[in-house]
Amino acid sequence: MDRQKLENLLADMSVSEKIEQLVQLHGGFFGEVDMITGPAAEFKMDADRPYRTGTVLGEHGAEHLRNLQDRMMAKQPHRIPAIFMADVIHGYKTAFPVPIAIGSSFDPDLAEEIASAAAEEASAAGVHVTFSPMVDLVRDPRWGRCMESTGEDPYLNSAMAAAFVRGFQGDDISKKGKIAACVKHFAAYGAPVAGRDYNVTEISEHTLFEDYLKPYRAAVEAGVKLVMTAFNTIDRKPCTTNRHLLRDVLREDMGFKGVVISDYNAVGETVIQGSSADRADAAKKALIAGCDIDMMSDCYLNGLEGAIKSGEVDEKLLDEAVMRVLELKNELGLFENPYKDGSAEREKEVIFSEKIQALGRRAAEETTVLLKNDGILPLKNGQKIGVVGDLAQSKEIVGSWSIFADASRTVTLREALEKLCPETEFVFSGDAPTETELEKIASCDAVLLCLGEDQSRTGESMSVADISLSDGHRELFSRVSAVNKNTVALIYGGRPLAIPEVAKAARAVVEVWLPGTVGSYAVADIIFGKVNPSGRLSMSIPYCSGQLPISYSLFNTGRPKPETDSFVRYVSNYMDVPNRPLYSFGCGLSYCEIAYSEPILSKNVIRRGEKITASVSVENMGDSAVTETVQLYIRDIKGSVVRPLRELKGFKRVGLEPHEKKNVEFEISEDMLKFYDAEMNFTAEAGGFTLWIGHDSLTKNGADFRLED
Ligand code: GLC
């Protein structure tokens, strides 16, 4: 439909009809039961009104949505089609590894492929929009939603955010197999005080812009069609009614022109937060602030019409919001085809396809992180291997947002091992092995010990105060390692867990995360050496909860700690644990040693607009092929505000055959040196810098250079 027709349509709509286009309800409002006694009653809706709303939350299935679309359009005064939106976070029917694992691949191309595959499955099921990517930067694993994030670093999260948007949307969201993406949660939802979900954030404007906003900006620059407002406050103002955040920052500064949707009842929650007098006040504040769609509250439904008709709220604001929603429907092609590509035939054709399952397996190969290995891995086939822990036989390893996944298809580690290693004798036991089982474990050549958390322990609202292993798992580890020293710890979960005792005593430690529907095959292949691990931590693993929040990208303070783990008085450190994480961002091993040459710079001084080429040679010293993620970090030695000791500014995944050496180059530009200065100008300041190019965020392989005016 062309723009003029959209404008004519808008002009012909009543105020009530326009408001209804800005409301999103979940499927409970569209059941066949008597609506007046259902949730509609709370919203004081008659049986027809839900069908006049503009978008629907969480419904899926091609036939179901065709039917629902027909019923809704029949009740729409202008037969405007509805948009079906759902949380396809990291897969639809096929669950891929959780996003914190996807971040650990350091492979944006993989993220794009995953998003594209998820879009293919979801669009066949009639879904038009996904509430993904979730790009909330997070440096506190007490917050259960770190599972949904790609981690602690602005540069990595930005690369992943853009890749997810490209994968979901392609170059035209009306095309078959593509859906519109919604980046969330705007903004800084990943910085709740004390790591407690929904809590306020207390971060400076510099930290907001320098760390938390960059991934959203990357998603906007990649063309994301929707932005979802966050539950939290920033500077003591709820994001959903924060005009500065939504209009000045998101629309003016970032140039976002799409639809802003609130999180679930986030408009209504501003009353509880104490910044709106009542739900009508919340509705006014949210629309004025720039929130277009009110998800799952009755604020817009019952609170806006009076304000518009009385002139308290300019109808122009309503028209602008409605036009953005109509434009999104138009871009999706829904006026011409209200079902888009939802069809039962396509569901059969694309869901769980061989291609998608192969991608799910490859994804887990890239996201699994080998953290420690004294040489016990890879295991040899034909040995007698103990496999201990309930997690080895659990299907709860696909992530708590895999709400549409077919759990019956989840492959457990046990199933993968038995299928892929038939010549190996496995001895299985759960979280509480009997004395007889312990005797069998004692007789094994090695023990795979599955520790950590299943999917129920992370996700929305699943905050913990203590990120240690459970008492049961610590007890299990000590019982097993007492009878068999050859333990390989497989750590499951959607958050980094504090595992200092395991890291010390186990001969190998593997961060498995939550590997998804078919990811266990990859875990088995890595353990037995068919796959050379290449994952790198997207989020640091702390020694303990007391270190939180934590990141590799620290500040020097005025009293930096010398290079020691011992306590040093009168400097910034703890008496009981080191400052550094147990395992730092970007860390991860493979089965080969990788050698780096010192960086060579094309020059050591650049003027404005000039560039430096920094290169290293990277050599695979091992006998098997490997993918090495070469990482570039830069430090700005002095700024008009303090600057982190190092920041990730680039990474490249490099395939190396056995004993192959390759030259890897990075271009250092003035743009890479920019930051928000004392006056919040985004600029590069002349002065000294250090760059490092190496295997992880701990690399000391550095060289100095200067930027001069
Ligand atoms: C939830 C989540 C958000 C999700 C939305 C719709 O509360 O915060 O991430 O997209 O509601 O399910």
Side-chain angles (χ1 to χ4, degrees):
M1 188 187 283
D2 67 30
R3 174 80 193 189
Q4 190 53 55
K5 285 186 180 168
L6 285 180
E7 285 173 3
N8 297 342
L9 170 59
L10 181 67
D12 200 44
M13 292 165 72
S14 68
V15 168
S16 174
E17 189 185 357
K18 287 190 277 192
I19 289 170
E20 287 157 355
Q21 279 299 308
L22 303 185
V23 174
Q24 178 167 112
L25 302 175
H26 65 48
F29 285 81
F30 304 94
E32 304 304 337
V33 297
D34 167 5
M35 295 311 303
I36 306 305
T37 55
E42 296 165 47
F43 287 12
K44 306 184 199 60
M45 297 174 87
D46 62 29
D48 281 353
R49 199 170 193 200
Y51 292 87
R52 295 199 301 269
T53 54
T55 61
V56 178
L57 164 62
E59 292 302 291
H60 62 107
E63 283 312 303
H64 166 61
L65 291 185
R66 280 174 170 267
N67 175 278
L68 181 55
Q69 187 69 287
D70 291 343
R71 286 188 289 140
M72 293 186 77
M73 289 177 70
K75 305 277 187 189
Q76 289 279 348
H78 289 85
R79 289 188 57 75
I80 298 172
I83 300 179
F84 299 119
M85 302 191 186
D87 293 281
V88 180
I89 310 297
H90 53 100
Y92 173 63
K93 282 290 178 194
T94 306
F96 292 95
V98 290
I100 193 169
I102 296 172
S104 294
S105 69
F106 275 68
D107 187 355
D109 292 341
L110 173 71
E112 183 171 344
E113 285 184 76
I114 288 172
S116 183
E120 200 175 16
E121 286 195 340
S123 62
V127 173
H128 304 142
V129 170
T130 179
F131 295 128
S132 185
M134 186 276 217
V135 301
D136 298 311
L137 186 132
V138 54
R139 294 173 167 171
D140 190 333
R142 290 174 295 182
W143 189 53
R145 300 197 74 164
C146 60
M147 173 275 290
E148 298 172 63
S149 166
T150 49
E152 72 182 59
D153 181 76
Y155 184 90
L156 177 63
N157 283 15
S158 298
M160 291 288 170
F164 271 109
V165 170
R166 290 194 301 269
F168 285 126
Q169 297 187 163
D171 56 12
D172 179 349
I173 56 176
S174 69
K175 280 186 180 162
K176 185 180 288 188
K178 292 303 171 190
I179 56 179
C182 174
V183 67
K184 67 187 184 183
H185 307 76
F186 196 71
Y189 182 34
V193 167
R196 182 158 42 84
D197 203 0
Y198 315 116
N199 202 2
V200 298
T201 65
E202 287 292 351
I203 53 178
S204 68
E205 190 177 25
H206 275 92
T207 298
L208 175 65
F209 275 79
E210 206 65 71
D211 298 334
Y212 290 89
L213 288 183
K214 285 177 181 170
Y216 305 111
R217 189 184 298 272
V220 170
E221 286 168 1
V224 74
K225 300 298 179 188
L226 297 95
V227 172
M228 182 186 291
T229 65
F231 288 121
N232 54 281
T233 59
I234 289 180
D235 195 20
R236 303 194 178 182
K237 295 186 278 285
C239 293
T240 307
T241 53
N242 189 327
R243 193 188 181 291
H244 169 65
L245 185 71
L246 300 183
R247 290 196 187 272
D248 301 336
V249 175
L250 180 60
R251 294 212 184 272
E252 290 307 309
D253 178 10
M254 293 188 183
F256 179 63
K257 305 212 178 324
V259 172
V260 173
I261 182 170
S262 79
D263 203 338
Y264 196 107
N265 187 35
V267 176
E269 289 185 7
T270 62
V271 178
I272 304 165
Q273 284 164 303
S275 81
S276 298
D278 54 33
R279 299 173 80 77
D281 185 39
K284 288 180 284 194
K285 284 186 165 71
L287 187 69
I288 290 167
C291 178
D292 297 324
I293 295 178
D294 175 9
M295 180 198 291
M296 275 307 296
S297 101
D298 66 336
C299 296
Y300 280 25
L301 269 176
N302 299 323
L304 264 189
E305 188 155 358
I308 300 283
K309 290 189 169 168
S310 69
E312 200 181 348
V313 175
D314 187 340
E315 188 168 354
K316 185 168 166 291
L317 292 181
L318 175 66
D319 290 350
E320 286 168 358
V322 175
M323 179 52 88
R324 285 191 283 263
V325 174
L326 296 178
E327 281 169 342
L328 178 58
K329 295 184 177 191
N330 202 34
E331 263 200 270
L332 284 161
L334 297 179
F335 287 105
E336 290 73 31
N337 172 10
Y339 313 117
K340 198 168 178 295
D341 45 327
S343 81
E345 301 75 60
R346 266 189 65 72
E347 284 178 312
K348 291 191 189 78
E349 183 189 318
V350 302
I351 289 176
F352 284 126
S353 67
E354 289 302 315
K355 179 190 74 169
I356 286 182
Q357 292 190 59
L359 177 60
R361 186 165 174 171
R362 174 160 58 88
E365 289 172 1
E366 290 194 30
T367 57
T368 302
V369 186
L370 178 62
L371 293 171
K372 177 185 179 184
N373 183 28
D374 70 357
I376 187 173
L377 290 179
L379 299 181
K380 296 175 186 57
N381 279 318
Q383 292 179 309
K384 182 179 176 185
I385 304 296
V387 184
V388 179
D390 295 346
L391 282 163
Q393 307 186 55
S394 169
K395 290 182 180 288
E396 299 297 299
I397 54 171
V398 294
S400 56
W401 264 127
S402 303
I403 48 182
F404 306 119
D406 180 347
S408 68
R409 286 192 171 239
T410 302
V411 177
T412 67
L413 180 62
R414 174 168 189 159
E415 290 161 344
L417 290 169
E418 290 179 329
K419 179 175 180 182
L420 299 178
C421 316
E423 65 284 7
T424 296
E425 181 191 352
F426 292 108
V427 175
F428 292 98
S429 63
D431 278 358
T434 62
E435 287 311 312
T436 309
E437 285 172 323
L438 273 181
E439 284 165 20
K440 287 183 186 170
I441 290 166
S443 68
C444 292
D445 298 304
V447 182
L448 301 176
L449 184 44
C450 298
L451 302 169
E453 300 180 330
D454 71 17
Q455 65 195 36
S456 67
R457 296 279 298 170
T458 43
E460 183 171 350
S461 90
M462 307 313 285
S463 311
V464 292
D466 183 352
I467 60 165
S468 306
L469 283 179
S470 67
D471 294 345
H473 276 186
R474 283 210 294 268
E475 166 70 10
L476 175 63
F477 179 73
S478 59
R479 291 182 69 210
V480 169
S481 44
V483 300
N484 194 318
K485 294 300 176 208
N486 298 326
T487 56
V488 174
L490 303 182
I491 308 298
Y492 284 79
R495 63 160 51 93
L497 291 167
I499 52 167
E501 62 278 335
V502 173
K504 190 172 176 186
R507 292 189 58 193
V509 179
V510 183
E511 179 60 68
V512 175
W513 302 117
L514 295 169
T517 303
V518 296
S520 292
Y521 289 130
V523 178
D525 280 343
I526 286 171
I527 289 166
F528 281 89
K530 288 181 200 157
V531 169
N532 200 343
S534 62
R536 296 283 187 275
L537 286 179
S538 58
M539 200 169 164
S540 301
I541 294 181
Y543 274 93
C544 63
S545 307
Q547 288 183 310
L548 302 177
I550 196 167
S551 157
Y552 79 93
S553 190
L554 301 170
F555 292 93
N556 218 9
T557 76
R559 298 192 176 197
K561 179 167 189 171
E563 287 272 327
T564 168
D565 277 349
S566 310
F567 174 64
V568 178
R569 206 174 177 114
Y570 303 121
V571 300
S572 181
N573 69 158
Y574 303 103
M575 289 193 284
D576 50 353
V577 295
N579 287 3
R580 60 182 177 79
L582 176 63
Y583 294 109
S584 192
F585 172 82
C587 287
L589 305 174
S590 67
Y591 291 141
C592 310
E593 283 304 313
I594 307 292
Y596 281 75
S597 71
E598 288 187 5
I600 295 169
L601 305 188
S602 55
K603 50 188 170 186
N604 292 82
V605 178
I606 53 170
R607 301 202 179 290
R608 300 277 174 193
E610 292 181 346
K611 292 177 179 166
I612 287 176
T613 300
S615 62
V616 293
S617 78
V618 184
E619 183 172 3
N620 175 6
M621 310 304 283
D623 299 327
S624 48
V626 68
T627 297
E628 172 68 3
T629 297
V630 182
Q631 299 167 36
L632 166 70
Y633 294 87
I634 292 180
R635 179 187 179 185
D636 184 349
I637 304 301
K638 184 201 78 59
S640 53
V641 295
V642 295
R643 307 283 293 116
L645 285 170
R646 56 179 67 192
E647 298 171 286
L648 181 71
K649 292 292 184 183
F651 57 85
K652 289 184 178 178
R653 289 168 50 82
V654 179
L656 294 168
E657 291 305 314
H659 303 288
E660 183 180 14
K661 182 190 288 190
K662 278 184 181 172
N663 200 51
V664 179
E665 288 187 357
F666 290 96
E667 219 172 52
I668 315 297
S669 65
E670 181 184 349
D671 279 352
M672 290 164 80
L673 310 180
K674 289 184 176 177
F675 68 102
Y676 291 92
D677 69 9
E679 284 70 44
M680 285 303 286
N681 302 308
F682 192 58
T683 182
E685 293 177 354
F689 295 82
T690 299
L691 66 81
W692 296 271
I693 301 177
H695 178 83
D696 55 38
S697 61
L698 303 176
T699 177
K700 292 183 167 43
N701 194 31
D704 296 335
F705 66 96
R706 293 187 58 77
L707 170 67
E708 293 188 354
D709 287 322

